Amino acid sequence: MAIYPIRVFPDPVLTMPAADVMEFDAALAKLVDDMIETMYDAPGVGLAAPQIGISKRVFVADAGDGPFAMVNPTVVETSGKDKSDEGCLSIPGEYWVIKRPDYARAEGFDIEGNPVTYEGVDLMGRVLQHEIDHLNGRLLLSRLSSRVRNQALKELRGEPASRMNGRR
Ligand code: NI
């Protein structure tokens, strides 16, 4: 197994839609093993392949019930509403309150190409949505209101967070 370096914003691989996996082979199984090890090392509750520079539709996650992987997943149903702090290994140290549906169900494949479904509320619902966003080239920043996003982008670029506090 191997631990990969995690790509951070604004690495362009993070905002590119990832390609479907075509081969369910030993290389895919090894990639998933390495991603699980990298996720726990970070530590994080989810990791998508683009976050280690591999633009393929694969993610791993552990929302408390042990690690699992999904290949070529899509969110097929969501419901309810939830508002919770959310962060991302590719935007280290930053957390924002993000509104999302509470429940999500995702369909895809396991590493052998068998159809699998995962679903859940709270953390599980959020992780499924967050990781599949990554595979669609979508970062947390795109889930923020434009005002909060502009402020966040300034901070990430190292510009002064706000001039409001500079009053003398
Ligand atoms: Ni993330």
Side-chain angles (χ1 to χ4, degrees):
M1 300 220 280
I3 292 171
Y4 281 82
I6 293 177
R7 303 294 184 94
V8 297
F9 178 85
D11 191 314
V13 74
L14 296 169
T15 45
M16 253 163 50
D20 274 340
V21 170
M22 307 303 276
E23 310 251 351
F24 294 80
D25 55 8
L28 176 64
K30 170 152 181 18
L31 172 65
V32 163
D33 279 349
D34 289 346
M35 285 174 62
I36 289 171
E37 195 180 11
T38 301
M39 171 182 75
Y40 285 135
D41 179 69
V45 295
L47 183 74
Q51 293 183 275
I52 56 166
I54 296 174
S55 193
K56 288 189 178 172
R57 293 187 68 83
V58 185
F59 78 81
V60 298
D62 182 347
D65 295 325
F68 67 96
M70 289 191 88
V71 181
N72 300 344
T74 47
V75 173
V76 293
E77 190 187 340
T78 59
S79 64
K81 281 184 186 168
D82 184 39
K83 209 168 135 181
S84 175
D85 265 9
E86 195 171 322
C88 179
L89 293 173
S90 294
I91 315 173
E94 303 285 342
Y95 293 86
W96 295 280
V97 176
I98 309 278
K99 289 184 201 167
R100 289 189 189 268
D102 186 36
Y103 168 85
R105 187 171 88 242
E107 291 178 359
F109 300 88
D110 67 14
I111 56 169
E112 291 169 345
N114 305 305
V116 286
T117 298
Y118 287 94
E119 63 178 351
V121 295
D122 299 326
L123 182 60
M124 183 61 167
R126 191 164 283 269
V127 166
L128 291 171
Q129 294 173 73
H130 180 113
E131 299 312 324
I132 293 171
D133 271 358
H134 271 301
L135 304 182
N136 295 331
R138 224 177 145 173
L139 286 175
L140 215 45
L141 295 164
S142 74
R143 297 275 175 198
L144 302 174
S145 71
S146 57
R147 187 185 60 81
V148 175
R149 181 169 55 246
N150 288 337
Q151 194 63 43
L153 287 171
K154 271 189 202 167
E155 288 176 31
L156 291 169
R157 289 182 190 127
E159 293 168 27
S162 170
R163 295 179 197 281
M164 300 292 282
N165 296 328
R167 202 164 34 148
R168 270 166 294 192

